[in-house]
């Protein structure tokens, strides 16, 4: 199931209990604070993934490279909410969950956007699905690596790369397949990066 914002509004956040939430962002330019889309992959207790995405007006320039990469341009986000508006609604939803990112870029971008708008730095609990993939499939090292593009091919994932919602869903699916591959639970795979006992983890 997928929820995506349209121009001028942010969709309702998912409801229910989730084992964990994967988060991905797209940016409008080389500045990591220039978030123009945020996507979530929310994993239910039955391991189905609810995909959510919202556009964000970054109030910064759009570089041609970034537009070519994700297809988001100034017109796409002209009426979208700004990061502080989106973050005010997202943070209470994210706080109880352990978050997954594919590489450290997403955590860095969130922190940069918070700093740019002088918002408090969020104390969120993160794990990196790249590191989890390395545990599950060490043989990929030097044979295409553990980026989403290669994992898409090797693990049979179906998603549209560089769409924040789709990439978040893919990161969630990487973790689910890693659980099956290693025989380890989500808690075991992420134990090194947990800040404490999280709610809604099954």
């Amino acid at each position: 199931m997928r929820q995506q914002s349209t121009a001028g509004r942010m969709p309702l956040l998912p409801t229910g209990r989730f084992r964990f939430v994967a988060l991905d962002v797209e940016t409008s330019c080389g500045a990591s604070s220039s978030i123009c889309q945020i996507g979530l992959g929310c994993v239910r207790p039955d391991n189905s993934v609810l995909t959510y995405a919202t556009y964000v007006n970054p109030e910064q320039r759009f570089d041609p490279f970034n537009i070519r990469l994700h297809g988001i341009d100034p017109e796409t986000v002209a009426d979208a909410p700004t990061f502080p508006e989106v973050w005010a609604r997202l943070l209470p939803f994210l706080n109880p969950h352990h978050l997954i990112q594919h590489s450290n870029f997403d955590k860095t971008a969130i922190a940069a956007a918070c700093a740019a708008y002088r918002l408090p730095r969020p104390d969120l609990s993160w794990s990196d699905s790249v590191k989890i993939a390395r545990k599950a499939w060490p043989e990929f090292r030097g044979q295409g690596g553990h980026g989403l593009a290669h994992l898409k091919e090797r693990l049979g994932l179906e998603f549209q790369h560089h769409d924040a919602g789709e990439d978040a869903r893919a990161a969630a699916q990487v973790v689910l397949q890693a659980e099956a591959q290693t025989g380890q639970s989500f808690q075991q795979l992420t134990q090194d990066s947990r800040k404490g006992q999280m709610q809604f983890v099954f």
Side-chain angles (χ1 to χ4, degrees):
M1 182 183 299
R2 176 181 174 80
Q3 299 182 45
Q4 167 69 60
S5 65
T6 57
R9 68 181 183 91
M10 181 178 170
L12 294 176
L13 285 162
T15 58
R17 291 188 170 190
F18 301 103
R19 296 184 60 217
F20 62 90
V21 174
L23 185 149
D24 185 85
V25 305
E26 298 295 334
T27 55
S28 66
C29 63
S32 56
S33 61
S34 64
I35 296 174
C36 60
Q37 189 186 36
I38 299 176
L40 306 177
C42 307
V43 179
R44 296 187 176 103
D46 65 358
N47 287 344
S48 62
V49 182
L50 190 157
T51 305
Y52 171 95
T54 184
Y55 292 119
V56 182
N57 186 336
E59 300 186 295
Q60 298 190 44
R61 73 181 189 278
F62 275 78
D63 287 345
F65 172 82
N66 296 65
I67 295 173
R68 287 194 299 271
L69 196 66
H70 49 54
I72 303 170
D73 60 20
E75 290 186 4
T76 308
V77 302
D79 297 321
T82 62
F83 179 81
E85 294 172 307
V86 171
W87 196 238
R89 293 176 60 184
L90 274 184
L91 183 57
F93 172 79
L94 297 176
N95 255 327
H97 297 97
H98 191 74
L99 305 181
I100 292 293
Q101 59 179 333
H102 201 76
S103 82
N104 198 49
F105 178 77
D106 307 287
K107 178 182 178 180
T108 299
I110 292 292
C114 286
Y117 285 101
R118 298 185 178 181
L119 300 174
R121 187 183 182 97
D123 183 25
L124 296 169
S125 184
W126 296 85
S127 289
D128 184 351
S129 53
V130 172
K131 294 180 180 179
I132 291 172
R134 287 172 181 161
K135 293 179 184 177
W137 301 281
E139 67 273 17
F140 292 172
R141 187 183 298 272
Q143 302 294 325
H146 297 85
L148 279 182
H150 183 243
L151 293 176
K152 177 179 182 179
E153 176 185 347
R154 296 297 298 269
L155 303 182
L157 305 177
E158 295 184 6
F159 66 99
Q160 179 184 340
H161 203 8
H162 298 301
D163 172 276
E166 292 279 295
D167 283 353
R169 177 167 58 85
Q173 290 174 332
V174 167
V175 175
L176 292 173
Q177 290 204 30
E179 284 185 304
Q181 174 73 10
T182 62
Q184 296 184 37
S185 68
F186 178 72
Q187 291 92 329
Q188 290 172 316
L189 289 171
T190 60
Q191 63 184 351
D192 294 341
S193 53
R194 286 181 171 274
K195 69 174 185 182
Q197 182 72 27
M198 306 305 294
Q199 302 177 33
F200 306 149
V201 177
F202 294 82

